[in-house]
């Protein structure tokens, strides 16, 4: 029994009846009672001198529970263990899986017979054979369609609850990534799924990519899509081996267009000086070039956009190494803003980003203001 838990549970009677107000006094009082079988450390009363393993106590209790148990129930029943020790056991023991917010289950107690689990395993493997992978969220749909008995016994389970439970139960049969289930020995993550999908096409439309995203229930992984494809306009992409850039020549043109450390990509409107490639130059093609090919420039941006390109072209040898630092520097050299909202308007209007949201904007404005003051002093 943890001494702190005893104090917490019986603090009032210990104080009122025995004048015990601290853990130290409690320990001294108990040990002075000549209870030879009881030992105490700085934190625990125990029978015998062996080590204490709260994790085993939590596991023992969870094995006896055939329904999900939440923190409140655990804290009530295992009152003699600190809640932090209970939470540690829940997160370190693989067989104890989260099935709802603050709620856990001993995975082998999942309400399904061996025959039902075998049926579910076959259904999952069939889906994997069709696509090469199974999106974890689709397990719930398979349970509902193929295993009605399990579905009835697990009413209210979230999609991710099935994934967490089956990750343990089927650990020898499947590989469970963060979002994807695959054949044992062939672990996949969602970024790999997107890359494999893109590699299988010479051309892709944005509509096709969105349809795939809807099918798997995961937002588009643009970084991985554009590691395999080049976006040639607002609605089309081609596989990267079908387009060829004269990198040195393109970088030379960019050096002329961007003589300083950075330039909002929105300010490049004419592409007549860019060397010819297989598709007409536009801002989408330039975005892909900057992110994947250029030796001297890169693009700092907040996120990708379906309908446009936003961000700042930055020299790779610049001392400004992230989007935030560029924004601070840019604002410090402008006088068309006086407060955070006006500064945000400048950021959006110059095409650095599309959304009128900026985490930590007040601090960015403060830094830009100080830098502007320093620059003005130096100018005088």
């Amino acid at each position: 029994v943890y001494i702190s838990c005893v104090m917490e549970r019986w603090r009032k009677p210990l104080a009122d009846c025995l004048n015990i107000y601290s853990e130290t006094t409690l320990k001294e009082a108990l040990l002075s009672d000549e209870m030879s079988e009881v030992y105490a450390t700085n934190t625990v009363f125990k029978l015998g001198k062996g080590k204490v393993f709260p994790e085993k106590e939590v596991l023992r209790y969870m094995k006896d529970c055939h329904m999900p148990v939440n923190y409140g129930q655990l804290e009530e029943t295992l009152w003699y263990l600190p809640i932090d020790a209970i939470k540690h056991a829940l997160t370190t023991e693989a067989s104890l899986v989260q099935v709802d917010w603050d709620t856990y289950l001993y995975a082998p107690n999942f309400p399904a017979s061996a025959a039902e689990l075998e049926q579910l395993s076959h259904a999952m493997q069939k889906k994997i054979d069709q696509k090469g992978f199974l999106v974890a969220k689709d397990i719930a749909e398979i349970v509902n369609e193929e295993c009605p008995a399990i579905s009835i016994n697990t009413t209210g389970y979230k999609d991710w609850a099935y994934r967490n439970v089956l990750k343990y139960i089927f650990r020898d049969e499947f590989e469970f990534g963060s979002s994807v289930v695959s054949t044992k020995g062939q672990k996949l993550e969602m970024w790999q799924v997107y890359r494999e999908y893109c590699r299988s096409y010479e051309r892709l439309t944005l509509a096709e990519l969105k349809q795939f995203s809807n099918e798997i229930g995961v937002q588009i992984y643009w970084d991985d899509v554009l590691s395999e494809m080049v976006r040639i306009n607002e609605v089309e992409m081609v596989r990267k081996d079908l387009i060829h850039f004269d990198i040195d020549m393109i970088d030379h043109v960019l050096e002329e267009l961007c003589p300083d450390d950075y330039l909002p990509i929105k300010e490049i409107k004419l592409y007549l000086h860019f060397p010819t490639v297989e598709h007409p130059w536009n801002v989408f093609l330039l975005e892909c070039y900057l992110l994947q090919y250029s030796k001297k420039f890169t693009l700092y941006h907040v996120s990708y956009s379906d309908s446009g390109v936003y961000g700042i072209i930055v020299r790779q040898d610049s001392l400004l190494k992230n989007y935030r630092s560029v924004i601070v520097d840019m604002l410090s050299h402008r006088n068309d803003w006086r407060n955070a909202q006006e500064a945000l308007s400048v950021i959006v209007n110059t095409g650095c980003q599309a959304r009128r949201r900026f985490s930590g904007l007040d601090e960015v404005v403060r830094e830009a203001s100080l830098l502007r003051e320093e620059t003005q002093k130096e100018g005088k």
Side-chain angles (χ1 to χ4, degrees), residues 117-300:
L117 288 174
E118 184 177 0
Q119 181 183 1
L120 178 56
S121 175
H122 286 317
M124 290 171 61
Q125 187 61 57
K126 184 177 179 181
K127 290 285 187 180
I128 291 172
D129 292 340
Q130 291 172 354
K131 284 188 175 182
F133 63 90
L134 168 66
V135 178
K137 77 173 190 65
D138 290 341
I139 296 175
E141 183 179 333
I142 295 174
V143 170
N144 291 331
E145 293 179 356
E146 305 290 339
C147 308
I150 297 178
S151 180
I152 291 171
N153 290 330
T154 55
T155 300
Y157 266 47
K158 293 177 169 57
D159 296 344
W160 51 266
Y162 288 110
R163 173 200 172 278
N164 290 350
V165 172
L166 297 178
K167 180 180 181 180
Y168 181 82
I169 294 176
F170 291 151
R171 61 192 181 281
D172 295 326
E173 299 177 50
F174 301 103
E175 296 283 1
F176 284 78
S178 56
S179 303
V180 179
V181 184
S182 54
T183 303
K184 189 66 180 177
Q186 301 176 19
K187 188 171 183 177
L188 289 174
E189 293 291 354
M190 189 52 67
W191 66 268
Q192 293 172 290
V193 171
Y194 266 104
R195 290 191 179 197
E196 289 294 334
Y197 173 76
C198 291
R199 287 191 196 112
S200 64
Y201 290 88
E202 289 190 355
R203 299 180 75 95
L204 263 179
T205 65
L206 182 60
E208 290 169 332
L209 188 60
K210 285 184 175 179
Q211 182 179 349
F212 178 70
S213 174
N214 290 333
E215 288 175 359
I216 63 177
V218 178
Q219 65 182 10
I220 298 174
Y221 279 39
W222 275 109
D223 283 327
D224 297 295
V225 169
L226 296 183
S227 71
E228 304 296 334
M229 310 291 287
V230 174
R231 195 171 179 185
I232 58 174
N233 54 48
E234 185 175 341
V235 296
E236 292 179 289
M237 286 158 276
V238 298
R239 203 169 60 206
K240 62 192 303 183
D241 61 319
L242 300 178
I243 193 165
H244 304 86
F245 293 105
D246 184 338
I247 296 174
D248 292 336
M249 188 60 189
I250 297 170
D251 279 354
H252 177 70
V253 173
L254 287 171
E255 284 186 306
E256 294 181 344
L257 294 173
C258 180
D260 300 318
D261 273 5
Y262 56 85
L263 178 76
I265 194 170
K266 185 179 180 181
E267 293 190 19
I268 296 184
K269 297 180 174 67
L270 297 176
Y271 296 91
L272 297 177
H273 298 296
F274 283 84
T276 303
V277 292
E278 287 83 351
H279 301 276
W281 276 98
N282 56 59
V283 70
F284 294 98
L285 192 60
L286 180 59
E287 175 186 42
C288 289
Y289 173 79
L290 290 165
L291 291 170
Q292 299 290 340
Y293 295 92
S294 179
K295 297 176 183 177
K296 295 184 177 181
F297 294 88
T298 190
L299 182 71
Y300 291 166

Side-chain angles (χ1 to χ4, degrees), residues 61-157:
Y61 171 74
M62 292 296 290
K63 284 181 177 180
D64 292 336
C65 297
H66 290 268
M67 295 292 289
V69 182
N70 61 36
Y71 284 157
Q73 294 168 292
L74 284 162
E75 199 169 10
E76 174 81 21
T77 305
L78 303 177
W79 64 267
Y80 48 91
L81 301 178
I83 188 62
D84 287 344
I86 295 173
K87 290 180 178 180
H88 178 73
L90 293 174
T91 56
T92 55
E93 170 54 49
S95 63
L96 303 180
V97 299
Q98 188 175 12
V99 293
D100 208 334
W101 307 119
D102 299 338
T103 303
Y104 288 76
L105 175 74
Y106 177 58
N109 288 345
F110 184 64
S113 66
E116 289 166 344
L117 288 174
E118 184 177 0
Q119 181 183 1
L120 178 56
S121 175
H122 286 317
M124 290 171 61
Q125 187 61 57
K126 184 177 179 181
K127 290 285 187 180
I128 291 172
D129 292 340
Q130 291 172 354
K131 284 188 175 182
F133 63 90
L134 168 66
V135 178
K137 77 173 190 65
D138 290 341
I139 296 175
E141 183 179 333
I142 295 174
V143 170
N144 291 331
E145 293 179 356
E146 305 290 339
C147 308
I150 297 178
S151 180
I152 291 171
N153 290 330
T154 55
T155 300
Y157 266 47

Side-chain angles (χ1 to χ4, degrees), residues 8-27:
E8 184 65 28
R9 193 172 180 87
W10 285 291
R11 186 177 301 278
K12 192 173 188 307
L14 283 170
D16 293 347
C17 303
L18 298 173
N19 294 322
I20 293 175
Y21 302 97
S22 70
E23 294 176 23
T24 301
T25 308
L26 174 61
K27 183 170 68 171

